[in-house]
Amino acid sequence: MMLTDPTQKYRAFPQVDLPNRQWPSNVITKAPRWLSTDMRDGNQSLIDPMNAEKKRRFFDLLLKVGVKEIEVGFPAAGATEFDFISSLVRDGAIPDDVFPQVLTQARADLIATTFESLRGAKKAIVHVYNAISPAWRNIVFQMERPEIRAIAVNAAKLLRDHAAKQPDTDWHFEYSPETFSTAELDFSLECCEAVMDILQPTLERPLILNLPATVECATPNIYADQIEWICRNISRRDSVVISLHTHNDRGTGVAAAELGIMAGADRVEGCLFGNGERTGNCDLVTVALNMYTQGINPELDFSDIDEVIQTVEYCNQLPVHPRHPYAGELVFTAFSGSHQDAIKKGFAAQEARNDQIWNVPYLPIDPKDLGRDYEAVIRVNSQSGKGGVAWVLQQDKGYKLPKKMQADFSKVVQAFADQSSRELNAADISTAFEEHYCLTDDQPYALIDYQEGGAAGDRIFTGKIAHQGGERSISGRGNGLISSVLAALRDELGVELEIADYSEHAIGAGTNVNAAAYVECRTPDGRTVFGIGTDSDVATASVKAVLSAANGIAVRG
């Protein structure tokens, strides 16, 4: 049972003493170095870890996306990991511009196995870590600070010595003061400085210092303070790469990484879509695309986001949530009527503008940049409005309904959605549209053929229509084609209508296009009825539109 006074059990995380902190005023201006930990951290958190085939498929995906640093595994964990990593080296599967990285605990036997797994590699990063926080020191290890520091120093010496035994490989090193986010900053700095004293990093060959939020225990601003504090106080800042490895225990792994970059970090570790232990790691896709929407090239390519999703879901056997930022099935979808109307108007304004700057309400990114089309941007259910219905018809049929006609048809769709209690797809809406505006076969009046004659201002319509199972010739006179059609309907069939509004447009582009014509008509008793017609000839389309309205009167009374 939750406590009414949580202070009996939990303590607020302490603030960082950081006068004149700079990160809140900083902005991200370029992509960090990226490291994917999918094949190690992500893999060890799966119910069924990836086999060699899935690991290779994931590795190839990361190469295609453009990740240049890939933690390919934990070679000392077992034969499967060791053999896979060795096979990447042996098969020449690692491009020259890609760094494979491997992780090891700070133990002599594990470090030896780790180096052996990479024998023959052109270059590699060996990442060693040891936990340093008070909980680990006091509970897990029952050691004091000097003993913990000695573990880090001994591990650094082993990295140096094993690298010397394989001089043909271009070795790089990474050290993590594990549990950094819950450790004392001065002790984190002490351990990092001690490792630096052994490995002697330089500007040309820097040491990667990974500062992990192993368990996220505070708001992301505190993590940013911790990162800025280290960046300010580390002795050889130009000879180290500050790397972030955030987790999502509080749901702010992405925010912590972004604020950490603002605080001076150079590198971000994480997984595609945030897979990882407990609530997951930093989501590299989200961080990268957040940058992209701010005009920054993330140097990762998610142009086919659905292929990335498909591969990750296959390899991890975990679904990407429908609401996952940028990637989820529903993230570019609006059901709400007001949202749909705003999006529809945004697309229209976007099309009319001369520049390419993206500015569509509710869509922070153009779905087409990620390989998505616009068909799923607006979907219709009982919450939808006229704008959404009009959008679906425009995308599916090319119709651009006048506003009043949108309102008229949205009532039909609303009733259909309420009755069916489900989402309506494009086929549902098109069928309802054709039925309501009498565009299906076997209508009371259907145009077979017609001729138009007379002089300007005095036009004569002579038409042949299908009516009551047969054909009937009708004619009428007016000052234009539409008025002469209305006269023919009135004089020959007793259908009396007057035009309140008319519009037309081309469907598609090019030379072989159809035309759509829309009419808003009034009956003698004041009712409004709408009609639509389409044809390769705009005049014929307008005649069909009038007959559509006439059919509406005949069918619905």
Side-chain angles (χ1 to χ4, degrees):
M1 183 179 296
M2 292 181 66
L3 303 172
T4 56
D5 180 13
T7 61
Q8 297 175 17
K9 192 172 185 178
Y10 302 100
R11 294 290 182 269
F13 199 88
Q15 299 288 314
V16 176
D17 182 15
L18 188 66
N20 193 31
R21 55 180 55 81
Q22 297 299 304
W23 67 261
S25 299
N26 294 338
V27 294
I28 299 172
T29 58
K30 64 178 182 178
R33 289 169 54 175
W34 303 104
L35 173 83
S36 162
T37 62
D38 289 276
M39 301 176 67
R40 193 276 304 171
D41 199 349
N43 187 46
Q44 72 186 35
S45 64
L46 300 176
I47 297 172
D48 297 311
M50 289 183 277
N51 57 23
E53 181 270 330
K54 287 181 177 178
K55 284 179 75 82
R56 181 58 185 270
R57 184 165 172 178
F58 212 124
F59 181 75
D60 291 341
L61 172 67
L62 293 169
L63 296 182
K64 185 174 182 179
V65 167
V67 181
K68 300 302 183 184
E69 299 176 43
I70 302 172
E71 197 164 70
V72 291
F74 200 140
T80 300
E81 289 283 281
F82 185 97
D83 292 344
F84 174 75
I85 294 166
S86 297
S87 71
L88 290 177
V89 177
R90 183 176 60 252
D91 297 344
I94 305 171
D96 291 343
D97 63 343
V98 172
F99 273 97
Q101 177 170 303
V102 289
L103 181 71
T104 178
Q105 293 169 308
R107 282 173 40 188
D109 57 332
L110 302 184
I111 292 174
T113 300
T114 298
F115 273 89
E116 189 60 32
S117 72
L118 288 167
R119 184 171 292 277
K122 295 179 181 179
K123 60 184 180 182
I125 302 169
V126 179
H127 178 189
V128 68
Y129 69 96
N130 68 305
I132 68 167
S133 66
W136 284 77
R137 296 198 310 263
N138 300 330
I139 299 171
V140 180
F141 301 132
Q142 296 183 346
M143 291 180 177
E144 299 299 325
R145 279 191 179 193
E147 297 169 283
I148 297 296
R149 179 180 180 278
I151 292 173
V153 169
N154 291 336
K157 291 178 180 178
L158 289 168
L159 295 186
R160 179 195 62 194
D161 296 344
H162 278 285
K165 296 175 184 177
Q166 296 187 46
D168 292 337
T169 298
D170 181 15
W171 296 106
H172 294 252
F173 303 122
E174 177 173 345
Y175 170 66
S176 288
E178 183 71 349
T179 64
F180 163 82
S181 57
T182 52
E184 307 93 335
L185 282 170
D186 65 324
F187 188 52
S188 295
L189 180 65
E190 182 182 334
C191 291
C192 290
E193 292 284 2
V195 169
M196 291 167 64
D197 288 342
I198 301 300
L199 296 177
Q200 291 296 307
T202 63
L203 179 63
E204 294 74 22
R205 187 173 293 274
L207 169 66
I208 301 169
L209 291 178
N210 185 49
L211 306 177
T214 305
V215 177
E216 188 176 40
C217 294
T219 50
N221 61 295
I222 290 180
Y223 183 66
D225 279 350
Q226 293 172 324
I227 299 302
E228 183 171 330
W229 191 95
I230 291 290
C231 289
R232 285 190 191 185
N233 290 279
I234 200 79
S235 64
R236 287 166 276 187
R237 180 63 182 92
D238 61 351
S239 297
V240 295
V241 172
I242 299 298
S243 186
L244 310 176
H245 186 116
T246 60
H247 277 261
N248 204 42
D249 300 275
R250 292 171 54 94
T252 55
V254 166
E258 291 181 324
L259 298 190
I261 296 170
M262 292 163 59
D266 311 295
R267 185 174 185 257
V268 172
E269 301 188 1
C271 294
L272 301 183
F273 308 120
N275 182 38
E277 293 178 304
R278 303 180 310 280
T279 56
N281 294 320
C282 176
D283 175 7
L284 297 187
V285 176
T286 299
V287 177
L289 293 179
N290 282 352
M291 292 181 184
Y292 181 78
T293 64
Q294 303 304 302
I296 301 167
N297 180 2
E299 299 176 13
L300 296 177
D301 186 2
F302 297 111
S303 297
D304 190 349
I305 196 73
D306 289 331
E307 180 190 12
V308 177
I309 293 169
Q310 182 181 25
T311 302
V312 172
E313 289 185 332
Y314 167 75
C315 294
N316 287 346
Q317 294 297 292
L318 291 172
V320 172
H321 195 279
R323 298 292 182 191
H324 195 102
Y326 301 108
E329 178 187 355
L330 297 177
V331 298
F332 300 128
T333 299
F335 291 101
S336 162
S338 61
H339 291 202
Q340 293 173 342
D341 184 63
I343 291 171
K344 179 176 177 290
K345 290 176 179 176
F347 273 114
Q350 191 77 16
E351 186 176 346
R353 286 166 50 202
N354 293 324
D355 63 65
Q356 297 301 311
I357 299 300
W358 182 253
N359 187 21
V360 176
Y362 294 110
L363 296 178
I365 191 172
D366 186 348
K368 286 193 173 180
D369 288 357
L370 305 180
R372 297 265 176 93
D373 56 37
Y374 294 148
E375 290 182 4
V377 168
I378 289 177
R379 289 160 62 174
V380 175
N381 62 16
S382 60
Q383 302 298 307
S384 304
K386 63 181 186 299
V389 174
W391 167 267
V392 172
L393 283 171
Q394 182 174 340
Q395 297 301 301
D396 188 49
K397 298 293 187 181
Y399 300 156
K400 299 177 182 177
L401 304 187
K403 287 185 177 181
K404 291 183 180 180
M405 193 173 183
Q406 292 178 28
D408 179 69
F409 182 56
S410 70
K411 297 174 184 177
V412 177
V413 174
Q414 182 77 41
F416 186 9
D418 285 336
Q419 182 180 11
S420 62
S421 298
R422 64 174 175 84
E423 179 188 352
L424 305 184
N425 57 36
D428 293 326
I429 294 170
S430 293
T431 298
F433 187 83
E434 291 175 358
E435 290 177 353
H436 184 68
Y437 294 110
C438 304
L439 304 179
T440 59
D441 296 336
D442 300 324
Q443 296 297 329
Y445 313 113
L447 181 67
I448 298 173
D449 194 12
Y450 80 95
Q451 291 181 342
E452 182 185 7
D458 183 21
R459 309 300 293 169
I460 299 173
F461 169 83
T462 304
K464 184 183 294 184
I465 64 170
H467 179 57
Q468 296 181 344
E471 295 183 3
R472 180 165 176 178
S473 296
I474 61 174
S475 63
R477 183 187 296 269
N479 61 8
L481 175 60
I482 292 179
S483 62
S484 63
V485 174
L486 292 173
L489 291 174
R490 181 192 64 230
D491 298 341
E492 303 280 355
L493 299 172
V495 179
E496 191 166 352
L497 296 170
E498 65 177 31
I499 297 294
D501 190 35
Y502 171 85
S503 62
E504 64 187 43
H505 66 81
I507 300 177
T511 55
N512 297 317
V513 298
N514 278 353
Y518 309 92
V519 292
E520 177 189 345
C521 301
R522 297 277 191 276
T523 64
D525 59 1
R527 287 178 296 154
T528 299
V529 61
F530 295 89
I532 176 176
T534 61
D535 196 85
S536 57
D537 174 65
V538 66
T540 303
S542 65
V543 174
K544 290 180 177 180
V546 173
L547 290 177
S548 168
N551 283 323
I553 294 294
V555 170
R556 293 188 292 275

